[in-house]
């Protein structure tokens, strides 16, 4: 067989018999960290421009092919450019850095691909490896090997560059098998690999364990070693390597097209929640030494993280759409991608033209419209598609802020983040915002306009210009539902502003967004927004979250009957966010329990709130989630679907006895999580629940189990006195969801888990606590039975293993006093040395296991009566 690769030229040729594929054998073709500038296109990896790119995890990006070669496509899902349509390899963004041989082999080509220095891959190298594989290295600035030379894996062979058909210095890397191109990251998308239909090859993961390229811009679900293509590896060992800076790009919500104000508020609301959710987990990672620092970047919808944590663990954190580098260009791309995601959701305001469009030229039939956020740094609007627009803010006749943008070619929508002499600028009453584009101009006067919850579940109140007509809108935080109401401000006013009050259909809860928007006939809009005040409590949580007027101080006391148990205080931040940490005797964290009541003081007002009972459970494989609450309560449930990566919101109501049942949209499986909210006035009490097969290995620091594939879990261990004794972080297997993590205490000290301890697992969406049952077991002196005791209920399971092979399984009921006994005769004769693993409890509610090594007494040096006890 003789094959020449089309579109590449003669350097890549195969002669001889095709060979079967092999397992992983590649190492990174460069040292250190880099970004993937362009991905392998599984759709048609021959540079054919067909408007679709499919990458290794199955993500599909479509676009409109543009004139010229290499059109780039943008994915709003991961907020990144995937780049070239039909690309047959990977472009790694290394700038004039050493290029390394990815595997041992023989150089078959080294030099210019063509006499034209701007053609193809420019200076390139091709290496032939075992089992019919070849690797290609393109756009090199310097070649350091000769044809026929034998090279070793990791040997420097070149310097990256910008030769050939290239738009900047980088390394192009392609892998061939029997001269057919394939993806070295394999294929983990749904269905067969599209490359199979293209050239008969199926991509498989080819990077050796721990030797894949270190990539800064990971996207969720990216294939890694052990992602279903290979046996799952052992838990990774965390090492304190060099600190690396990553930019975590947050997910931007996708909503139906709406006004500029609603679109902006919806995006800001979700980004704020995601940043705070991430901040809680990042603080834990910081305490573990995996993160050195992190910075919230609201203008870019991102979080900057510096530390030794792996990119795989970071991309598994909740709310992370993808990961980028930390260069100035990366921050600029993050800001532009956030603006693009926002603009795609904006609906142009329809303005009635004075004349028929047929009588006017297209350049004169369009109008500029501005949407100005009072108290915020954003100006949104519409101009002529593709036109530049300049925005300026005037105050007392002086320019105090400015910004520029270009209208989208499809709709003319634009967004400007205002900048002043000291950074971001927030508009305030008295400002005049002007926009100029293509010889046209318009302006918006910033006048007092506010909205807030009036202390009831449906009342809104605020200030507006006297006699003005405006609209108020509520965007529910949990359900995402949008409610509108038209309002006319009273004619009577003080200093030009009037106080109004209006009722909305529906119920307002803590965290809901409220918007007041004043629109003009020209299409200009002035708007402001706030959050509904109130608290959000979680059972078994020692932290209270909520929203209140900026600067407000909250003091909370926790009582059981008349006995003081804990207290805490907090001050609302500039955006109104409030957090209070409850601490009891000796400063220990105090998780809330049903029946305790809170005395809340803020300002001159006082409020009492009793923590209700809120339980829930589901049988794996069923579609019913049921539990109990306090009396006829109003409940809201949010169900997380791992397959679609989205929330589903359902309403429920408990009966007079407190019981409730919710019909789930899909069967319960590993990784399914349900958030149930008990509604009390505007406050929310949350009970989170998740299905995880969790096993604590008594007498060891290990916790193992299953959760949603590819997510990052943060674990804490508490002793019987509720003191935190250990913590850990792990990423579940991207295919099976399996995980194993060793918990460590201060200064990375190993902490062994014992009966009475509690392990709390959080994925950012829900937090689940597992009580570690007491467990002790021993072998009888004649090796005929295993007996023990436990504080768990139900049955004890004993698995008999030889090495990693299970040769038998026995069960025994657990008596009322916790005793169990299993007869072992008949099993020990199979092998002289066996091991018994004792498991008690339910893996969905928290199980505990301990291992006992059994040495046959008949063997030389035999030992009997060996006992391992975990108390």
């Amino acid at each position: 067989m003789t094959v020449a690769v089309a579109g590449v030229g003669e350097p890549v040729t195969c002669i001889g018999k095709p060979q079967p594929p092999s397992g992983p054998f590649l190492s990174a073709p460069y040292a250190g960290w880099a970004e993937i500038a362009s991905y392998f296109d599984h759709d048609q990896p021959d540079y054919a421009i067909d408007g679709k790119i499919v990458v290794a995890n199955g993500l599909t990006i479509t676009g409109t092919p543009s004139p010229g070669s290499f059109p780039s496509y943008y994915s709003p899902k991961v907020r990144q450019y995937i780049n070239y349509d039909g690309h047959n390899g990977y472009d790694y963004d290394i700038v004039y850095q050493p290029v390394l041989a990815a595997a041992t082999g023989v150089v078959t080509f080294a030099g210019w691909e063509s006499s034209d220095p701007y053609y193809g891959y420019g200076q390139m190298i091709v290496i032939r490896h075992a089992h019919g594989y070849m690797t290609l290295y393109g756009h090199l600035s310097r070649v350091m090997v000769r044809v026929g030379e034998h090279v070793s894996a990791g040997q420097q062979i070149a310097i990256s560059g910008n030769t050939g058909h290239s738009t900047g210095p980088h390394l192009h890397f392609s892998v061939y098998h029997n001269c057919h191109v394939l993806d070295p990251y394999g294929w983990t998308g749904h269905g067969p690999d599209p490359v199979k239909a293209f050239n008969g090859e199926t991509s498989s993961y080819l990077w050796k364990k721990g030797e894949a390229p270190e990539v800064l811009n990971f996207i969720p679900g990216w294939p890694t070693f052990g992602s279903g293509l290979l046996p799952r590896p052992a838990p990774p060992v965390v090492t304190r390597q060099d600190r690396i800076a990553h930019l975590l790009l947050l997910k931007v919500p996708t909503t139906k097209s709406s006004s500029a104000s609603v679109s902006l508020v919806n995006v800001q609301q979700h980004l704020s929640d995601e940043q705070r959710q991430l901040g809680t987990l990042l603080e834990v990672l910081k305490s573990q030494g995996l993160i050195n620092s992190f910075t919230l970047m609201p203008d870019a919808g991102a979080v900057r993280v510096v530390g030794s944590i792996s990119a795989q663990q970071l991309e598994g954190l909740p709310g992370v759409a993808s990961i980028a580098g930390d260069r100035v260009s990366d921050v600029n791309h993050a800001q532009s991608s956030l603006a693009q995601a926002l603009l795609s959701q904006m609906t142009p305001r329809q303005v009635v033209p004075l004349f028929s469009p047929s009588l006017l030229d297209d350049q004169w039939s369009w109008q500029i419209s501005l949407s100005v956020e009072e108290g915020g740094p954003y100006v949104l609007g519409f101009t002529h598609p593709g036109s530049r627009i300049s925005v300026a803010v005037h105050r007392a006749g002086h320019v105090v802020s400015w910004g520029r943008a270009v209208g989208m070619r499809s709709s003319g929508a634009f967004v400007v983040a205002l900048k002043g002499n000291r950074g971001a600028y927030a508009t305030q009453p008295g400002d005049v915002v002007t926009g100029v584009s293509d010889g046209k101009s318009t302006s918006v006067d910033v006048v007092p306009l506010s909205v807030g919850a009036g202390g009831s579940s449906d009342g809104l109140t605020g200030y507006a210009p006297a006699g003005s007509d405006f609209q108020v809108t509520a965007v529910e935080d949990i359900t995402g539902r949008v409610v509108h109401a038209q309002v006319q401000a009273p004619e009577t006013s003080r200093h030009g502003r009037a106080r109004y009050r209006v009722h909305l259909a529906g119920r307002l809860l803590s965290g809901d967004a409220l918007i007041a928007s004043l629109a003009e006939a020209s299409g200009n809009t002035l708007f402001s927004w706030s959050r509904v005040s109130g608290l959000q409590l979680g059972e078994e949580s020692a932290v209270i979250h909520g929203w209140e007027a900026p600067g407000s101080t909250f003091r909370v006391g926790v009582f059981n009957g008349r006995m003081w148990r804990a207290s805490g205080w907090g001050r609302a931040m500039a955006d109104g966010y409030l957090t209070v940490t409850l601490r009891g005797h000796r400063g220990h964290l105090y998780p809330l329990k049903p029946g305790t009541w809170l005395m809340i003081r803020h300002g001159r007002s006082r409020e009492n709130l009793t923590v209700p009972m809120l339980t829930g459970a589901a049988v794996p494989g069923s579609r019913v989630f049921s539990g109990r609450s306090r009396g006829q309560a109003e409940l809201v449930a949010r169900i997380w679907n791992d397959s679609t990566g989205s929330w589903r919101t359902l309403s429920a109501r408990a009966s007079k006895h407190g019981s409730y049942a919710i019909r789930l949209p899909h069967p319960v499986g590993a990784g399914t999580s349900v958030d149930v909210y008990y509604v009390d006035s505007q406050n929310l009490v949350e009970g989170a629940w998740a299905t995880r097969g969790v096993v604590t290995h008594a007498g060891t620091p290990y916790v193992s189990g299953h959760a949603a594939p590819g997510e990052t879990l943060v674990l804490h261990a508490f002793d019987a006195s509720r003191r935190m004794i250990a913590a850990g972080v792990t990423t579940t297997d991207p295919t099976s969801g399996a995980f194993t993590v060793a918990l460590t205490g201060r200064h990375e000290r190993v902490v062994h888990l014992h009966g009475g301890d509690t392990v709390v697992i959080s994925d950012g969406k829900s937090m689940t606590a597992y009580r570690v049952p007491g467990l002790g077991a021993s072998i009888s002196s004649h090796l005929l039975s295993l007996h023990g005791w436990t504080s768990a209920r139900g049955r004890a399971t004993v698995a008999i293993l030889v090495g990693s092979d299970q040769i038998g399984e026995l069960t025994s009921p657990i008596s009322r006093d916790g005793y169990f006994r299993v007869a072992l005769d008949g099993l020990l004769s199979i092998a002289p040395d066996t091991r018994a693993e004792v498991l008690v409890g339910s893996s969905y509610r928290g199980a505990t296991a301990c291992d006992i090594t059994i040495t046959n007494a008949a063997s030389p040096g035999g030992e009997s009566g060996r006992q391992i006890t975990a108390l």
Side-chain angles (χ1 to χ4, degrees):
M1 179 187 72
T2 302
V3 179
V5 180
V8 177
E10 292 303 315
V12 181
T13 59
C14 295
I15 301 175
K17 182 179 179 181
Q19 300 188 43
S22 73
F25 70 99
L26 295 178
S27 301
Y30 60 87
W33 295 79
E35 289 191 5
I36 297 178
S38 187
Y39 291 77
F40 180 93
D41 185 3
H42 284 247
D43 179 38
Q44 288 192 41
D46 61 355
Y47 295 96
I49 302 174
D50 64 348
K52 182 172 72 172
I53 299 176
V54 183
V55 297
N57 64 348
L59 178 67
T60 300
I61 306 95
T62 58
T64 303
S66 57
S69 60
F70 300 160
S72 58
Y73 301 149
Y74 173 79
S75 170
K77 184 174 182 180
V78 298
R79 288 181 56 193
Q80 288 194 21
Y81 282 93
I82 303 301
N83 284 328
Y84 305 138
D85 197 351
H87 194 230
N88 76 343
Y90 284 87
D91 287 343
Y92 294 109
D93 195 7
I94 58 174
V95 180
Y96 299 103
Q97 293 174 226
V99 175
L100 313 177
T104 300
V106 177
V107 178
T108 61
F109 185 88
W112 291 91
E113 180 184 358
S114 168
S115 58
D116 181 356
Y118 302 103
Y119 173 81
Y121 296 127
Q123 288 200 92
M124 59 180 283
I125 294 173
V126 178
I127 301 176
R128 177 177 286 118
H129 311 284
H131 305 289
Y133 288 96
M134 304 178 76
T135 53
L136 182 149
Y137 313 76
H139 307 299
L140 308 173
S141 63
R142 180 184 175 190
V143 174
M144 304 171 65
V145 292
R146 302 184 306 273
V147 173
E149 183 176 342
H150 186 276
V151 295
S152 302
Q155 176 182 332
Q156 183 175 350
I157 58 175
I159 300 292
S160 65
N162 193 28
T163 59
H165 193 171
S166 173
T167 57
H170 68 283
L171 168 67
H172 173 95
F173 180 77
S174 289
V175 179
Y176 300 85
H177 184 240
N178 296 327
C179 264
H180 295 304
V181 71
L182 50 77
D183 189 341
Y185 288 94
W187 170 257
T188 56
H190 295 293
D193 183 3
V195 174
K196 177 71 173 180
F198 175 76
N199 59 19
E201 288 283 344
T202 297
S203 300
S204 60
Y205 194 87
L206 297 177
W207 303 106
K208 292 191 292 185
K209 178 183 176 182
E211 298 190 37
E214 292 184 297
V215 176
L216 284 169
N217 56 333
F218 260 83
I219 60 178
W222 193 245
T224 57
F225 189 95
S227 58
L229 305 170
L230 297 167
R232 181 177 175 273
V237 177
V238 178
T239 58
R240 296 297 182 262
Q241 55 191 15
D242 294 337
R243 303 291 182 180
I244 304 297
H246 296 278
L247 206 62
L248 309 185
L249 304 183
L250 302 180
K251 295 177 181 177
V252 177
T254 302
T255 60
K256 296 179 180 179
S257 297
S258 56
S259 65
S261 58
V262 173
S263 298
L264 176 62
V265 169
N266 184 62
V267 169
Q268 287 181 308
Q269 184 182 22
H270 279 77
L271 289 179
S272 174
D273 292 343
E274 288 172 348
Q275 285 177 329
R276 300 193 188 286
Q277 188 182 61
L278 265 178
T280 302
L281 297 181
L282 292 176
E283 283 288 357
V284 176
L285 300 180
K286 185 177 178 181
S287 67
Q288 294 297 298
L290 297 176
I291 287 178
N292 188 39
S293 64
F294 67 93
T295 307
L296 305 181
M297 305 176 67
D299 291 346
V303 178
R304 182 178 186 268
V305 173
V306 179
S308 59
I309 189 172
S310 69
Q312 291 94 331
Q313 289 176 320
L314 287 173
E315 66 95 7
L317 292 172
V320 176
S322 63
I323 300 177
D326 188 46
R327 300 169 301 184
V328 174
S329 60
D330 297 316
V331 176
N332 292 335
H333 287 155
Q335 292 175 329
S336 63
S337 72
L338 178 61
Q340 183 166 348
L342 175 63
L343 296 175
S344 64
Q345 304 180 47
M346 289 170 50
T347 302
R349 177 176 172 82
Q350 299 298 322
V351 181
V352 179
L354 299 177
F355 304 98
S356 170
S358 61
L359 301 177
L360 301 172
D361 183 79
D362 177 65
Q363 291 293 321
W364 293 98
S365 62
W366 58 273
Q367 290 181 325
I368 305 175
S369 64
L370 303 179
S371 292
V372 179
E373 179 188 6
E374 181 187 349
Y378 291 100
V379 175
L380 302 89
F382 293 87
T383 183
H384 191 267
S387 296
R388 295 181 178 274
I389 182 167
S390 298
V391 176
V393 181
H394 301 263
R395 186 170 184 82
H398 300 282
V399 177
V400 294
S401 179
W402 56 88
R404 294 182 177 85
V406 177
M408 293 184 68
R409 294 189 177 276
S410 57
S411 64
F414 69 87
V415 59
V416 171
L418 298 175
K419 302 292 184 182
N421 293 326
R422 298 182 179 180
Y425 179 84
T427 61
Q428 53 186 306
D431 290 347
V432 178
V433 182
T434 61
V436 180
S437 178
D438 284 355
K440 289 189 175 185
S441 64
T442 190
S443 63
V444 175
D445 293 330
V446 181
V447 296
L449 183 66
S450 65
V451 62
S456 64
S457 61
D458 61 353
L460 301 182
T461 185
Y463 289 97
S468 61
D469 290 320
F470 60 98
Q471 186 181 69
V472 293
T473 303
V475 182
E476 297 180 358
D477 188 31
I478 297 178
T479 65
R481 191 168 66 102
V482 180
V483 183
H484 302 281
Q486 202 67 30
V487 185
Q488 182 173 14
E491 295 289 346
T492 58
S493 65
R494 185 177 182 181
H495 305 298
R497 65 177 188 173
R499 189 172 184 85
Y500 69 88
R501 184 176 182 84
V502 64
H503 290 271
L504 279 181
R507 188 184 186 106
L508 300 178
L509 301 175
S510 173
D512 290 354
L514 305 176
I515 309 168
S517 53
L518 182 63
E520 301 175 357
S522 62
N524 292 335
T525 303
L526 173 70
F527 68 94
S528 65
W529 75 289
S530 65
R531 299 262 201 166
V532 176
S533 61
L535 300 180
Q536 297 179 359
L537 318 177
E539 289 190 4
E540 299 296 334
S541 175
V543 180
I544 298 176
H545 304 279
W547 299 90
E548 191 49 59
S552 299
T553 300
F554 263 62
R555 296 187 181 276
V556 181
V558 183
F559 297 84
N560 189 352
R562 295 185 178 181
M563 295 291 294
W564 175 90
R565 296 299 182 187
S567 60
W569 75 279
R571 186 184 301 274
M573 301 172 64
D575 60 354
Y577 181 73
L578 175 79
T579 178
V580 177
T581 301
L582 302 176
R583 297 187 181 275
H585 295 285
R586 298 181 181 178
H588 296 162
L589 295 176
Y590 186 87
L592 293 173
K593 297 288 185 180
T596 58
W597 62 278
L598 311 180
M599 185 174 67
I600 305 166
R601 294 181 180 179
H602 47 99
R604 296 182 178 179
S605 62
R606 190 174 76 174
E607 177 184 359
N608 293 330
L609 174 63
T610 301
V611 180
M613 178 184 69
L614 186 59
T615 64
V619 177
S622 72
R623 286 177 174 264
V624 178
F625 184 87
S626 59
R628 296 186 64 83
S629 184
R630 184 179 64 189
Q632 291 181 316
E634 180 183 350
L635 305 175
V636 178
R638 292 202 310 166
I639 300 95
W640 176 257
N641 189 338
D642 289 316
S643 60
T644 62
S646 61
W647 288 100
R648 175 78 178 273
T649 305
L650 301 172
S651 297
R653 193 169 189 84
S655 68
K656 63 180 181 179
H657 302 294
S659 62
Y660 69 90
I662 301 172
R663 180 75 177 176
L664 302 180
H666 57 276
V668 173
T672 300
S673 60
V674 180
D675 289 350
V676 180
Y677 296 89
Y678 178 100
V679 180
D680 185 327
S681 182
Q682 292 173 194
N683 301 315
L684 293 173
V685 179
E686 179 184 3
W689 177 91
T691 52
R692 297 191 181 97
V694 175
V695 177
T696 55
H697 298 263
T700 76
Y702 291 101
V703 177
S704 61
H706 285 78
E711 73 177 352
T712 296
L713 302 176
V714 177
L715 297 88
H716 292 89
F718 299 86
D719 63 13
S721 300
R722 296 178 179 173
R723 293 175 300 183
M724 192 181 77
I725 57 175
V729 60
T730 185
T731 302
T732 63
D733 185 272
T735 299
S736 66
F739 69 89
T740 300
V741 58
L743 304 184
T744 56
R746 293 184 177 181
H747 309 295
E748 300 186 25
R749 179 176 57 88
V750 174
V751 175
H752 298 284
L753 300 173
H754 302 291
D757 293 344
T758 300
V759 176
V760 178
I761 302 180
S762 174
D763 60 2
K765 300 187 296 292
S766 62
M767 184 177 294
T768 312
Y770 299 94
R771 186 85 170 182
V772 180
L775 175 62
S778 62
I779 305 295
S780 69
S781 59
H782 300 290
L783 295 180
L784 297 178
S785 66
L786 180 149
H787 63 274
W789 70 272
T790 178
S791 59
R793 296 291 181 262
R795 302 183 68 87
T797 302
V798 179
I800 308 299
L801 303 99
V802 176
S804 59
D805 298 327
Q806 181 172 325
I807 62 173
E809 182 176 288
L810 302 170
T811 62
S812 168
I814 300 173
S815 65
R816 289 186 177 182
D817 57 359
Y819 179 79
F820 61 89
R821 180 181 180 278
V822 175
L824 300 178
D825 53 321
L827 285 174
L828 300 183
S829 59
I830 298 177
D833 295 299
T834 59
R835 181 167 57 90
E837 183 179 83
V838 184
L839 182 72
V840 297
S842 167
S843 60
Y844 278 93
R845 296 177 182 174
T848 295
C850 70
D851 289 346
I852 299 179
T853 302
I854 307 171
T855 304
N856 196 319
S859 62
E863 180 182 354
S864 64
R866 182 176 178 83
Q867 175 175 320
I868 295 181
T869 305
L871 302 178

